[in-house]
Amino acid sequence: MSDVTATLVEAPASARSDRWRRGLYRFRSSWVSVLGLAIVALLLLLAAIGPAIIPYPQHVAGMVDTASRFIPPSAAHWFGTNEVGQDVLSLTIAGTRISLISGLAVVILGSTVGILVGALAGFLGGWVDEVLMRLSDLMLTVPGLILAMAVAAALGPGLLNMVVAITLSWWPGYARLVRGEVIARKEEQFVIAARAVGAGTARLLLRHILPNIMSPIIVKMSLDMGFAILTVASLGFIGIGVKPPTPEWGSLLSVARGNMPDYWWTAIFPGLAIFLAVFGFNLLGDGLRDVLDPKARR
């Protein structure tokens, strides 16, 4: 009898391990997914150790050197210098941490609010579902960037205000995703069994339903990181995000647009950083979808 029980316990663990092995094999077999992981890893590394490897930290702090203005890319300044003589490479590396932290904060806050709203709406149903989903629909009727611009302009410039402004337009997508997943899961046998033994709403959601719907949420978060960084850069570009001298890719691009096309390097390298961030997170998200999507495991 004990042998049969041990076999039944080991079977789900073995099947789960086998599914993960197949998913990781698919991820490694896709060179674009590996490329996305490499780009994201490089960006995270630059964000972590950037201040230690910046060649001209004094330029990041706001120092100007007008005698070195508009030097083209060279051995001394790999990305050239800008209109006030600051090293573009140093500013771009320093902007990596600001952009990634801002994008990550937007995704975490937006997903947290969206998961809470969607889980309550899908599980409780009735008037709670109607009120929360109509609020979500109302937020979705306004373009996200326009809403973020309006809120950021009202709150004023600054990193925290910018994150709050973008988050207000970010959570409805998660709310609708989680609501649909919760509605599909709440009538399954394991939830009914947990309810039968007296589990409350909070326990059902936190211990039984949400852990089983995290795969699509994780995929959406990875895909949203690139778009969150792009939105942060957009607000910085139009002047209502992070303000100079704090280096941020969007604000660097905004200042440099007046130097085009003669001094192209002042704009091209911050623009390439934004492109690589969005490109890398999108490729990584596609790879994670192949690993976590149950339909892709067959």
Side-chain angles (χ1 to χ4, degrees):
M1 182 67 178
S2 60
D3 294 340
V4 174
T5 303
T7 302
L8 292 175
V9 172
E10 292 175 359
S14 177
R16 190 180 306 112
S17 176
D18 184 59
R19 287 197 299 267
W20 275 104
R21 281 197 300 268
R22 292 201 304 268
L24 291 175
Y25 174 77
R26 284 194 300 271
F27 186 90
R28 293 195 305 267
S29 301
S30 173
W31 67 269
V32 293
S33 300
V34 176
L35 176 61
L37 178 61
I39 294 173
V40 170
L42 175 61
L43 291 174
L44 293 176
L45 180 64
L46 287 177
I49 68 172
I53 64 174
I54 289 175
Y56 296 92
Q58 66 274 19
H59 291 176
V60 176
M63 174 184 171
V64 299
D65 182 11
T66 55
S68 302
R69 61 194 306 265
F70 290 134
I71 296 177
S74 61
H77 301 280
W78 290 3
F79 288 2
T81 61
N82 60 13
E83 66 279 355
V84 293
Q86 294 173 331
D87 183 62
V88 176
L89 174 60
S90 300
L91 298 178
T92 303
I93 293 177
T96 304
R97 174 175 291 187
I98 300 296
S99 298
L100 288 186
I101 289 177
S102 301
L104 184 63
V106 168
V107 170
I108 290 177
L109 291 176
S111 62
T112 301
V113 175
I115 289 171
L116 177 62
V117 172
L120 292 177
F123 190 82
L124 298 178
W127 67 269
V128 176
D129 184 22
E130 285 294 322
V131 171
L132 293 178
M133 285 302 100
R134 296 299 76 77
L135 176 61
S136 175
D137 292 340
L138 178 63
M139 300 295 291
L140 288 173
T141 58
V142 183
L145 183 59
I146 302 299
L147 178 61
M149 289 169 55
V151 175
L155 295 177
L159 180 61
L160 179 60
N161 291 343
M162 178 182 62
V163 169
V164 171
I166 301 175
T167 300
L168 290 177
S169 65
W170 216 264
W171 65 265
Y174 288 93
R176 298 193 70 84
L177 171 65
V178 172
R179 173 183 177 270
E181 293 289 338
V182 169
I183 290 175
R185 296 280 183 171
K186 72 177 182 179
E187 300 300 333
E188 292 192 6
Q189 292 298 321
F190 70 92
V191 178
I192 296 175
R195 186 185 288 115
V197 298
T201 299
R203 184 177 180 84
L204 288 172
L205 285 173
L206 297 177
R207 295 292 300 274
H208 299 283
I209 297 179
L210 288 180
N212 285 283
I213 64 172
M214 287 306 296
S215 293
I217 296 174
I218 292 174
V219 172
K220 181 172 173 57
M221 290 176 68
S222 63
L223 291 171
D224 278 358
M225 265 297 296
F227 294 108
I229 292 172
L230 185 60
T231 304
V232 169
S234 300
L235 292 184
F237 183 81
I238 60 179
I240 56 177
V242 178
K243 289 291 187 181
T246 303
E248 188 272 323
W249 292 337
S251 59
L252 292 176
L253 198 57
S254 177
V255 174
R257 62 180 171 174
N259 303 325
M260 295 290 287
D262 296 328
Y263 309 108
W264 52 269
W265 56 87
T266 60
I268 195 69
F269 292 112
L272 281 176
I274 297 172
F275 166 77
L276 284 176
V278 176
F279 184 63
F281 277 107
N282 282 351
L283 292 183
L284 179 61
D286 288 339
L288 290 177
R289 181 167 52 196
D290 292 338
V291 174
L292 299 175
D293 187 1
K295 295 179 181 178
R297 292 174 180 166
R298 289 181 289 180

